[in-house]
Amino acid sequence: MADSETPNPMSRTDVVDAYFLEHRAKLLDIAAFLDRVDRAGKAGDEADDFRITALRRALEVLDDGKGDRVRRVLDLMSDTSSELVDVAPGKGACGTPPPAGSGA
Amino acid sequence: MTYIDPHIHMVSRTTDDYRRMALAGCTAITEPAFWAGFDRSSPQGFFDYYRQLTESEPARAAQYGINHHCWLCVNPKEAEDPGFAREVMSLLPEFLERSNVLGIGEIGLNKNSKNEMTILEEHLAFAEERDQLVLVHTPHLEDKRKGTLLIMDAIANTKLKPDRVLIDHVEEHTVADVLDRGFWAGMTLYPETKCTPQRAADIIEIYGTERLWMNSAGDWGDSDPLAVPKAIVELRRRGHSAETIRTATLENPKTFLGQSPRFDAGDA
Ligand SMILES: [Zn+2]
């Protein structure tokens, strides 16, 4: 990582004061979302949705104490292949790589 | 404060957005050619779009004292049919003559497909032949990191100079590679996908302001034409200097875009 040329002038306490409540709310949103997924009916015996699996793995990154969390979460939710695909499967993206062969 | 929004799709925005941007201090914008949210059915559809970008949008912007510029190309979301894309590309030479056109963009990849790459390479060759500035769209979400690397490799196979190419929509997992290879990098401020104003401020704190700018990429989807002034407020709230803010939101766009004699920041 490059040396910081424009460091954040705020102290650690300033940062927490400024952003804690906003991110407390975002954390509760994630908790509520996971509860909502649990409450929703399952169609047959489907396995956990790949997006939820990725989200759970990302949650582990947040608390592993290693830093550089945003980049690592984005990497975890990135296609790591390097070959061009034969045909574009539509135009959209779903936020994390679908399981191979799913056509998602 | 005076700022430039170097990537915004005003054809999808209301006149009221122009008014609010002007009130917030915007003096100049650049609008890359992109997907309209639906596939155009004929080259004539693109002909009309290019007229809109070079005739009616500059006039609409001027009513609010904003200088409007644009970039032209066939965007990667409509590049999966190379025959069709080439027909549209044949329109580009005549429109490149127009006075508000800064270069080729936003070209790039969307789903990292073979046909997208073919058309990207043809645009790069076209830009190289005509010594044009280039503005690059990188893919969304899970496709971004792979696509950004493939695009930079494709550019490295041309004679285009990295300091005449801006790679847009960088995030924390791509910004370092883009800057390390000598390109300009754009951070797009979106409510859900791409960067937020807070994360853009974080990236500036980690990487500095050299060859880095931010934009709203406001368009027909979930986006915010006032995202750049919101990032300015975020930087100011943290106590960053007026110079840092001015560099990221005015001077850097002027330096990159000023490589075209047609660019007028309108901040004098
Ligand atoms: Zn765009």
Side-chain angles (χ1 to χ4, degrees), chain B residues 111-260:
Chain B
K111 293 302 293 181
N112 302 322
S113 77
K114 289 178 177 171
N115 284 343
E116 288 171 10
M117 179 56 85
T118 299
I119 295 303
L120 168 62
E121 287 170 341
E122 291 181 21
H123 276 98
L124 292 172
F126 181 90
E128 190 181 344
E129 278 164 29
R130 289 163 181 78
D131 196 26
Q132 295 286 317
L133 290 172
V134 173
L135 190 126
V136 171
H137 165 90
T138 53
H140 304 278
L141 302 169
E142 71 268 24
D143 301 315
K144 181 179 301 291
R145 189 177 77 170
K146 171 181 175 179
T148 302
L149 297 172
L150 288 167
I151 290 165
M152 291 194 293
D153 288 345
I155 297 170
N157 289 332
T158 71
K159 293 193 178 69
L160 289 163
K161 294 196 184 78
D163 63 355
R164 290 177 56 82
V165 178
L166 183 128
I167 311 265
D168 219 330
H169 317 320
V170 299
E171 292 179 63
E172 290 83 347
H173 57 331
T174 56
V175 62
D177 283 330
V178 169
L179 292 174
D180 285 349
R181 291 174 74 157
F183 296 105
W184 282 76
M187 297 182 286
T188 294
L189 311 171
Y190 264 9
E192 283 182 358
T193 57
K194 306 190 173 75
C195 272
T196 58
Q198 288 182 11
R199 282 171 51 211
D202 294 336
I203 289 173
I204 285 175
E205 286 163 6
I206 296 166
Y207 295 98
T209 52
E210 194 181 339
R211 281 181 285 116
L212 196 58
W213 79 23
M214 39 188 154
N215 57 67
S216 71
D219 59 10
W220 48 267
D222 200 6
S223 54
D224 179 0
L226 294 181
V228 175
K230 285 176 185 169
I232 291 173
V233 170
E234 175 65 25
L235 286 162
R236 199 182 276 158
R237 166 196 195 190
R238 295 187 188 187
H240 284 289
S241 70
E243 188 196 344
T244 295
I245 295 170
R246 189 178 163 90
T247 300
T249 60
L250 182 67
E251 297 302 332
N252 281 356
K254 280 170 72 174
T255 301
F256 178 76
L257 299 167
Q259 295 182 89
S260 164

Side-chain angles (χ1 to χ4, degrees), chain A residues 84-97:
Chain A
L84 292 164
V85 300
D86 286 332
V87 180
K91 297 192 202 292
C94 50
T96 196

